[in-house]
Amino acid sequence: EGLTLLKQKEYETALNTFEETQKIADAAGDKGTAAKAENYVYRLCYNVGVGYIKKGEMETALEYFEKGIQISPTYYKNYKGRATVYKEQGNEAAAMEAFIKTAEVASAAGELDERSKALKQAEGFVAKSLQEEDFKKVIENGNVYLQFSETSNVHYYMAHSFNALREHQSALAHAEKALELDKGSRAS
Protein backbone atom coordinates (compact mmCIF):
# COMPACT_ATOMS: atom_id res chain seq x y z
CA GLU A 1 0.00 0.00 0.00
CA GLY A 2 2.83 2.43 0.87
CA LEU A 3 4.48 1.94 -2.52
CA THR A 4 1.22 2.64 -4.32
CA LEU A 5 0.78 5.85 -2.34
CA LEU A 6 4.38 6.79 -3.10
CA LYS A 7 3.82 6.29 -6.84
CA GLN A 8 0.72 8.48 -6.58
CA LYS A 9 2.87 11.14 -4.86
CA GLU A 10 0.73 10.93 -1.74
CA TYR A 11 3.87 11.41 0.31
CA GLU A 12 2.42 12.17 3.74
CA THR A 13 0.00 9.25 3.62
CA ALA A 14 2.77 6.99 2.31
CA LEU A 15 5.00 8.15 5.16
CA ASN A 16 2.34 7.28 7.72
CA THR A 17 1.89 3.87 6.10
CA PHE A 18 5.62 3.10 6.16
CA GLU A 19 5.90 4.27 9.78
CA GLU A 20 3.08 1.93 10.74
CA THR A 21 4.70 -0.92 8.78
CA GLN A 22 7.95 -0.25 10.60
CA LYS A 23 6.23 -0.35 14.03
CA ILE A 24 4.45 -3.60 13.21
CA ALA A 25 7.61 -5.19 11.85
CA ASP A 26 9.62 -4.08 14.90
CA ALA A 27 6.98 -5.54 17.24
CA ALA A 28 7.02 -8.81 15.29
CA GLY A 29 10.84 -8.94 15.33
CA ASP A 30 11.02 -8.70 11.54
CA LYS A 31 14.18 -6.61 11.30
CA GLY A 32 14.40 -6.84 7.51
CA THR A 33 10.95 -5.39 6.89
CA ALA A 34 11.46 -2.77 9.60
CA ALA A 35 14.73 -1.64 7.98
CA LYS A 36 13.12 -1.46 4.52
CA ALA A 37 10.25 0.60 5.89
CA GLU A 38 12.65 2.93 7.73
CA ASN A 39 14.53 3.46 4.47
CA TYR A 40 11.34 4.90 2.99
CA VAL A 41 10.48 6.89 6.13
CA TYR A 42 13.54 9.15 6.19
CA ARG A 43 13.36 9.68 2.43
CA LEU A 44 9.67 10.53 2.60
CA CYS A 45 10.36 13.00 5.40
CA TYR A 46 12.19 15.03 2.78
CA ASN A 47 9.31 14.87 0.27
CA VAL A 48 6.73 15.78 2.92
CA GLY A 49 8.92 18.63 4.18
CA VAL A 50 9.27 20.06 0.67
CA GLY A 51 5.49 19.95 0.35
CA TYR A 52 5.14 22.01 3.51
CA ILE A 53 7.72 24.52 2.24
CA LYS A 54 5.58 24.97 -0.88
CA LYS A 55 2.57 25.63 1.36
CA GLY A 56 4.58 28.18 3.36
CA GLU A 57 4.41 26.07 6.53
CA MET A 58 8.07 26.32 7.48
CA GLU A 59 7.86 25.03 11.06
CA THR A 60 6.04 21.89 9.96
CA ALA A 61 8.53 21.39 7.12
CA LEU A 62 11.39 21.76 9.59
CA GLU A 63 9.87 19.09 11.85
CA TYR A 64 9.87 16.60 8.99
CA PHE A 65 13.46 17.39 7.98
CA GLU A 66 14.63 17.07 11.59
CA LYS A 67 12.82 13.76 11.89
CA GLY A 68 14.51 12.51 8.72
CA ILE A 69 17.91 13.63 10.01
CA GLN A 70 17.34 11.84 13.30
CA ILE A 71 16.49 8.60 11.49
CA SER A 72 19.30 8.82 8.94
CA PRO A 73 22.03 11.37 9.67
CA THR A 74 23.78 10.42 6.41
CA TYR A 75 20.95 11.44 4.06
CA TYR A 76 21.91 14.90 2.83
CA LYS A 77 18.54 15.89 1.39
CA ASN A 78 16.96 16.45 4.80
CA TYR A 79 19.86 18.76 5.69
CA LYS A 80 19.25 20.63 2.43
CA GLY A 81 15.58 20.95 3.34
CA ARG A 82 16.45 22.29 6.78
CA ALA A 83 18.80 24.85 5.21
CA THR A 84 16.08 25.93 2.79
CA VAL A 85 13.63 26.46 5.66
CA TYR A 86 16.12 28.66 7.51
CA LYS A 87 16.77 30.62 4.33
CA GLU A 88 13.03 31.11 3.73
CA GLN A 89 12.63 32.27 7.34
CA GLY A 90 15.37 34.86 6.83
CA ASN A 91 17.65 33.22 9.40
CA GLU A 92 20.83 33.72 7.39
CA ALA A 93 23.32 32.52 10.01
CA ALA A 94 21.45 29.27 10.59
CA ALA A 95 20.88 28.82 6.84
CA MET A 96 24.53 29.30 6.03
CA GLU A 97 25.62 26.81 8.66
CA ALA A 98 22.92 24.39 7.52
CA PHE A 99 24.08 24.62 3.89
CA ILE A 100 27.63 23.93 5.07
CA LYS A 101 26.38 20.89 6.99
CA THR A 102 24.53 19.80 3.84
CA ALA A 103 27.81 20.05 1.95
CA GLU A 104 29.60 17.93 4.58
CA VAL A 105 26.98 15.19 4.50
CA ALA A 106 26.69 15.25 0.69
CA SER A 107 30.47 15.02 0.40
CA ALA A 108 30.58 12.02 2.73
CA ALA A 109 27.90 10.38 0.58
CA GLY A 110 29.93 11.00 -2.59
CA GLU A 111 27.39 13.54 -3.86
CA LEU A 112 29.95 16.09 -5.02
CA ASP A 113 27.55 18.08 -7.22
CA GLU A 114 25.24 18.52 -4.22
CA ARG A 115 28.23 19.50 -2.09
CA SER A 116 29.12 22.18 -4.61
CA LYS A 117 25.54 23.49 -4.78
CA ALA A 118 25.28 23.70 -0.99
CA LEU A 119 28.60 25.54 -0.72
CA LYS A 120 27.47 28.02 -3.38
CA GLN A 121 24.35 28.69 -1.31
CA ALA A 122 26.49 29.27 1.80
CA GLU A 123 28.90 31.50 -0.13
CA GLY A 124 25.93 33.54 -1.30
CA PHE A 125 25.30 34.76 2.24
CA VAL A 126 28.84 36.13 2.42
CA ALA A 127 28.42 37.85 -0.96
CA LYS A 128 25.06 39.30 0.07
CA SER A 129 26.61 40.84 3.18
CA LEU A 130 29.27 42.44 0.99
CA GLN A 131 26.62 43.86 -1.36
CA GLU A 132 24.89 45.34 1.68
CA GLU A 133 28.27 46.74 2.81
CA ASP A 134 27.88 45.00 6.16
CA PHE A 135 31.60 44.37 6.44
CA LYS A 136 31.53 42.94 9.95
CA LYS A 137 28.92 40.43 8.85
CA VAL A 138 31.04 39.51 5.81
CA ILE A 139 33.91 38.71 8.15
CA GLU A 140 31.68 36.79 10.56
CA ASN A 141 30.03 34.75 7.80
CA GLY A 142 33.32 34.35 5.96
CA ASN A 143 35.01 32.89 9.02
CA VAL A 144 32.18 30.38 9.42
CA TYR A 145 32.46 29.43 5.75
CA LEU A 146 36.24 29.11 5.86
CA GLN A 147 36.03 26.60 8.68
CA PHE A 148 34.68 24.14 6.13
CA SER A 149 35.95 25.21 2.74
CA GLU A 150 38.14 27.82 1.09
CA THR A 151 37.37 29.71 -2.07
CA SER A 152 39.08 32.67 -3.61
CA ASN A 153 35.73 34.48 -3.62
CA VAL A 154 35.24 34.30 0.14
CA HIS A 155 38.82 35.39 0.77
CA TYR A 156 38.31 38.28 -1.66
CA TYR A 157 35.09 39.33 0.10
CA MET A 158 36.91 39.26 3.41
CA ALA A 159 39.90 41.20 2.05
CA HIS A 160 37.54 43.89 0.75
CA SER A 161 35.75 44.04 4.09
CA PHE A 162 38.88 44.18 6.20
CA ASN A 163 40.18 46.95 3.94
CA ALA A 164 36.94 48.90 4.37
CA LEU A 165 37.34 48.53 8.14
CA ARG A 166 40.95 49.72 7.85
CA GLU A 167 42.35 46.42 9.05
CA HIS A 168 44.96 46.34 6.34
CA GLN A 169 47.09 43.42 7.56
CA SER A 170 44.09 41.12 7.58
CA ALA A 171 42.95 42.53 4.23
CA LEU A 172 46.35 41.78 2.73
CA ALA A 173 46.43 38.25 4.14
CA HIS A 174 43.02 37.43 2.63
CA ALA A 175 43.87 39.09 -0.68
CA GLU A 176 47.04 37.01 -0.93
CA LYS A 177 45.11 33.85 -0.12
CA ALA A 178 42.46 34.72 -2.73
CA LEU A 179 45.16 35.18 -5.36
CA GLU A 180 46.86 31.94 -4.35
CA LEU A 181 43.62 29.98 -4.61
CA ASP A 182 42.67 31.66 -7.88
CA LYS A 183 46.11 30.94 -9.34
CA GLY A 184 45.84 27.31 -8.23
CA SER A 185 42.43 26.88 -9.86
CA ARG A 186 43.73 28.21 -13.17
CA ALA A 187 46.75 25.89 -13.12
CA SER A 188 44.61 22.77 -12.86
Side-chain angles (χ1 to χ4, degrees):
E1 181 184 352
L3 290 174
T4 301
L5 292 165
L6 181 61
K7 288 177 184 174
Q8 295 171 346
K9 297 187 179 189
E10 296 289 333
Y11 297 128
E12 196 161 5
T13 308
L15 174 60
N16 294 334
T17 301
F18 281 112
E19 285 178 319
E20 188 62 30
T21 301
Q22 182 182 4
K23 286 179 190 172
I24 292 168
D26 279 335
D30 184 350
K31 292 181 181 180
T33 300
K36 286 178 184 176
E38 182 179 87
N39 191 42
Y40 284 104
V41 170
Y42 71 80
R43 292 170 189 273
L44 282 165
C45 284
Y46 173 74
N47 295 94
V48 173
V50 168
Y52 278 106
I53 287 175
K54 289 177 181 177
K55 294 177 188 176
E57 296 180 35
M58 298 304 155
E59 290 303 319
T60 304
L62 188 58
E63 289 173 18
Y64 280 99
F65 298 133
E66 294 293 351
K67 180 179 181 177
I69 290 167
Q70 184 178 12
I71 295 168
S72 179
T74 60
Y75 187 61
Y76 76 89
K77 287 187 177 184
N78 284 310
Y79 292 94
K80 180 170 82 172
R82 179 172 63 183
T84 302
V85 167
Y86 291 148
K87 182 178 178 182
E88 291 294 319
Q89 291 175 326
N91 187 345
E92 290 183 9
M96 190 176 88
E97 289 186 28
F99 278 117
I100 289 171
K101 182 64 178 175
T102 302
E104 289 175 4
V105 176
S107 183
E111 296 286 346
L112 300 182
D113 283 347
E114 292 297 327
R115 175 189 186 272
S116 180
K117 289 176 189 176
L119 286 177
K120 278 287 183 203
Q121 287 281 342
E123 185 180 304
F125 291 107
V126 184
K128 182 180 179 216
S129 298
L130 182 62
Q131 289 172 340
E132 295 170 350
E133 296 187 359
D134 188 344
F135 303 120
K136 289 182 179 181
K137 192 172 181 183
V138 170
I139 293 164
E140 179 184 324
N141 287 345
N143 282 324
V144 170
Y145 184 94
L146 292 175
Q147 289 175 15
F148 179 70
S149 181
E150 284 194 310
T151 68
S152 59
N153 287 346
V154 171
H155 279 288
Y156 168 76
Y157 303 151
M158 291 183 70
H160 183 84
S161 298
F162 276 119
N163 190 54
L165 296 171
R166 301 195 186 297
E167 295 182 34
H168 302 297
Q169 286 298 106
S170 295
L172 183 59
H174 282 282
E176 288 173 346
K177 189 64 177 176
L179 288 171
E180 175 188 320
L181 289 170
D182 193 43
K183 184 178 178 182
S185 70
R186 288 184 184 171
S188 38

